[in-house]
Amino acid sequence: MTLDPIRAPRPSDAPGPAPGAGVGEAWRAARSVAPPGHLDAAGCNVPSDRVLDAVVAHLRLERERGGYGAVPDLATSREALAALVGAGPGDVAFLESGTAAMAALLGGWRLGAGARVGCARTEYGSTLMLLRRLAARHGWHLVELPVDGDTRIDPDGLRARLSAGLDLVVVSHIGSHRGVVQPAVEIGALCRRAGVPFVLDVCQSLGHVEVRGTGAGAYVGTSRKWLAGPRGVGFLITPGLTPAMDAPAPTLGGHVWHDPSWQDVVPEAGGLSRDGGVWARGGGEASWGDVAPEAGGLSRDGGVWARGGGEASWEGGEPVPVPGAARYESSEAAVAARAGLGVAVLEHHALGPAAVHAHLAELGRTARELLDGAGGWRVAEPLDEPSALVTLIPPPGDTAERAAARAAEASLLVSVVPTARAPLDLREPVLRVSPPPGTPVDTLQALTHTLCF
């Protein structure tokens, strides 16, 4: 059997729009199958045929060669993803979700006790949970960043908070519960001038609005939304990596032993060998708890393990991170999904990010104009907000849950955003409408009819 060589997708592999074709038409043409009435790009978008093919092809290759014999070269995918934020390929780490990426980033960030971390009341619920736990564990103080009447972070208020002292700023570029685009370029500039690290959550913005030029030190994102990649893969991009930033737990893929003598401890008499990922005494007759201080063995002296003869000790075996974002990445993952994300990002580049952004902004404006006031429902963000994430507040006597059920009966797919997504900002669940590129106006008009029950 002849197997195709393993390689990353190349830019030439992702064809651009056909001559004369618009972005929406080209995006739709790349998908032979899509759910009817799909208006949930902000939840889980529709991968293209090429993305699906890339995932399936890699799974087949793993079956034919074995998983470790089918590891793809994702250098081009990293480069393409990094280019969307103005970073380099070494700044990219793949994880299983945006939530996991945020946990990896903040969970290992060495901020001292008393550190002040700024975030807005509109912050994503999962991130708020994480920040509150880390604050309780490490003695951090969470500082609220002021927002205006549209829930947009107020630059003057941020400037005042920075002057009062902040050690980190965390912002969601676009919230899960409201399509307001935060002024990330201005926020980034203020943070840089103050010398404060800036983390930008781009789960709802990358592939949707412009992210380059924001100057964040770290970006957290996901595949399955506006990039239209597979589920089960997220990413962390860290162009502003500092010595204070590391994964919360070291791994063999992302870290090395500081003391080289720990790299190759041999299973001599009383020594330790690595067998199937578990350290065991030569011959298997002892565990970590009772290794005796024999020749080459380890002894416990006053709570410190030391190698017989004094050649090595626990104190010399400190794991240190490898360069770049690879410190955050696990080698064990849904690799096929990572390959699929690479294809999705290359397709986005081929369509032209600026053209996609403009198309989605126009779709959002059209949706808001059609839906605002239908059946008494009100759009939560400004009607001319340059995003395609539209949220609707229910009128008295109706609910987001009931409206979503009526939409489903009409073969329209929308989302209900519960208050837990933004517990400091949402007072009741809202209906979220997020049309992907190429959504026909007829689909949005059909939704207006379901709102007028």
Side-chain angles (χ1 to χ4, degrees), residues 229-245:
R231 292 186 68 185
V233 57
F235 52 86
L236 174 58
I237 307 176
T238 56
L241 194 66
T242 72
M245 298 165 65

Side-chain angles (χ1 to χ4, degrees), residues 262-279:
W262 279 85
Q263 302 283 2
D264 57 356
V265 178
V266 295
E268 300 170 350
L272 299 183
S273 64
R274 180 165 179 149
D275 181 10
V278 179
W279 285 98

Side-chain angles (χ1 to χ4, degrees), residues 174-175 177-181 368 381 385-391:
I174 301 177
H177 69 296
R178 187 169 295 123
V180 169
V181 183
R368 291 186 182 94
E381 50 275 329
E385 191 69 25
S387 80
L389 195 158
V390 180
T391 48

Side-chain angles (χ1 to χ4, degrees), residues 33-93:
V33 176
H38 186 266
L39 295 169
D40 194 26
C44 192
N45 217 333
V46 182
S48 71
D49 293 353
R50 294 173 62 83
V51 170
L52 176 63
D53 290 346
V55 173
V56 173
H58 187 79
L59 289 173
R60 286 178 174 153
L61 199 62
E62 286 187 345
R63 184 174 66 173
E64 293 165 352
R65 294 187 176 183
Y68 294 143
V71 177
D73 177 3
L74 296 176
T76 301
S77 301
R78 294 178 195 274
E79 184 178 5
L81 185 59
L84 293 178
V85 303
D91 300 325
V92 176

Side-chain angles (χ1 to χ4, degrees), residues 109-132:
W109 204 314
R110 292 188 288 274
L111 296 175
R116 293 165 56 84
V117 180
C119 62
R121 63 180 171 84
T122 54
E123 190 51 66
Y124 185 55
S126 178
T127 301
L128 282 176
M129 286 182 175
L130 174 64
L131 285 170
R132 287 188 173 183

